[in-house]
Amino acid sequence: MTPEPIPDGPLTFSFLTLFPELLAPFASEAILGKARERGLVDVRLVNMRDFSQNKHLKVDDTPYGGGAGMVIRVDVAERALASLPPADEVILFSPAGQPFTQAVAEELAGKAHLVFLCGRYEGFDARVEGLVTRELSVGDFVMMGGEAAAACVLEAVARLRPGVLGDADSHRADSFSSGLLDYPEYTRPLEWQAQEVPAVLRGGNHAAIAAWRREQALRRTLARRPDLLASAPLTPQDSATLLTLGATPDDLTGWGAPPPPQPKKPKRKKKPDATPSGT
């Protein structure tokens, strides 16, 4: 999936929730808080109870057909959505949704306004699905509400916007951005509990460091998440490295990896010209 061009201006995140206090501190501290202060991202927390239209601020009701729990009303969600400016995407967190991946984060980072519906209780009335543009899932597990998922998406997407991170290139070598798990990082102390920082990282040879980091990323991915190799942009040299790390030729074929470089044949030495016989 190719990331969309980043538009000018801040990226606005609007979250429709019954518990805005859960998201407020998360969106106000550390890097996200600084990004909001600098106008790089904007976060709007919309309390759906403000659109209940009843004195008890009730937004849910019992499910038709019976069953445990309460269901958030579609008319409440519709009124809350109508209070917002037009959005590029209206996203519902759902177990049936598209898995949220780095590629999806990069796609969403190219938008200008994203709206997220954070469910609670037994979720939303099914008719809410007609109000959204996509559904997302952050994993095959059940939580008490969508706010924690919203916090994950907010951080993953916001950090991709220009200027949010201190180093503009810092996210490009992250796990999944490169298609592989990230290589290991080290800092001081140089030695800790008999474990030393690898010598190559201390030698100042940038080409050697880059080669070591690529090998380590391949090593980690092969050992821990080999499924990622099927979609990673592998080079012929990567294929050669993977073979030395224990992958098989059949593995490379299954991943669609290019063949490793063929060793160059040694050049034949030219035979010296025959010395002409005597005059």
Side-chain angles (χ1 to χ4, degrees), residues 216-257:
Q216 291 298 310
L218 290 165
R219 182 187 298 275
R220 281 189 163 192
T221 306
L222 179 63
R224 304 180 189 183
R225 289 291 307 275
D227 57 295
L228 296 177
L229 293 166
S231 55
L234 300 174
T235 67
Q237 184 55 52
D238 290 336
S239 296
T241 301
L242 287 165
L243 289 173
T244 66
L245 295 175
T248 67
D250 286 344
D251 290 332
L252 296 182
T253 301
W255 298 325

Side-chain angles (χ1 to χ4, degrees), residues 29-241:
E29 301 297 331
I31 290 176
L32 275 174
K34 293 176 182 176
R36 291 180 72 186
E37 291 173 3
R38 294 163 57 200
L40 301 175
V41 298
D42 185 22
V43 178
R44 301 179 184 184
L45 302 178
V46 180
N47 192 333
M48 287 187 287
R49 296 187 191 279
D50 294 340
F51 302 91
S52 62
Q53 293 188 345
N54 61 76
K55 65 179 181 180
H56 298 295
L57 303 182
K58 185 175 173 62
V59 299
D60 55 358
D61 214 325
T62 55
Y64 279 110
M70 304 290 281
V71 179
I72 301 174
R73 294 169 54 123
V74 62
D75 56 334
V76 173
E78 189 276 331
R79 287 192 291 270
L81 284 170
S83 73
L84 295 170
D88 297 300
E89 294 269 12
V90 178
I91 297 170
L92 174 67
F93 291 110
S94 163
Q98 171 190 14
F100 181 64
T101 63
Q102 186 66 22
V104 175
E106 290 172 357
E107 181 192 359
L108 296 180
K111 309 292 185 180
H113 184 198
L114 302 172
V115 176
F116 298 88
L117 278 73
C118 304
R120 279 275 158 174
Y121 317 128
E122 292 303 305
F124 287 93
D125 183 302
R127 290 167 288 186
V128 164
E129 294 173 10
L131 304 177
V132 305
T133 59
R134 78 164 82 189
E135 299 178 39
L136 285 182
S137 169
V138 296
D140 293 339
F141 51 87
V142 179
M143 296 186 292
M144 291 181 285
E147 288 77 17
C152 290
V153 174
L154 170 60
E155 179 158 312
V157 175
R159 68 189 296 275
L160 299 175
R161 296 288 288 196
V164 171
L165 297 181
D167 183 346
D169 293 325
S170 59
H171 66 79
R172 291 177 186 160
D174 288 338
S175 293
F176 309 115
S177 290
S178 65
L180 304 173
L181 296 182
D182 201 4
Y183 51 79
E185 297 275 18
Y186 296 88
T187 187
R188 293 178 177 83
L190 179 63
E191 183 178 343
W192 177 77
Q193 295 187 356
Q195 300 176 68
E196 265 199 13
V197 175
V200 65
L201 300 178
R202 313 190 315 257
N205 185 328
H206 296 293
I209 290 171
W212 180 87
R213 285 175 168 171
R214 184 68 178 181
E215 179 184 342
Q216 291 298 310
L218 290 165
R219 182 187 298 275
R220 281 189 163 192
T221 306
L222 179 63
R224 304 180 189 183
R225 289 291 307 275
D227 57 295
L228 296 177
L229 293 166
S231 55
L234 300 174
T235 67
Q237 184 55 52
D238 290 336
S239 296
T241 301

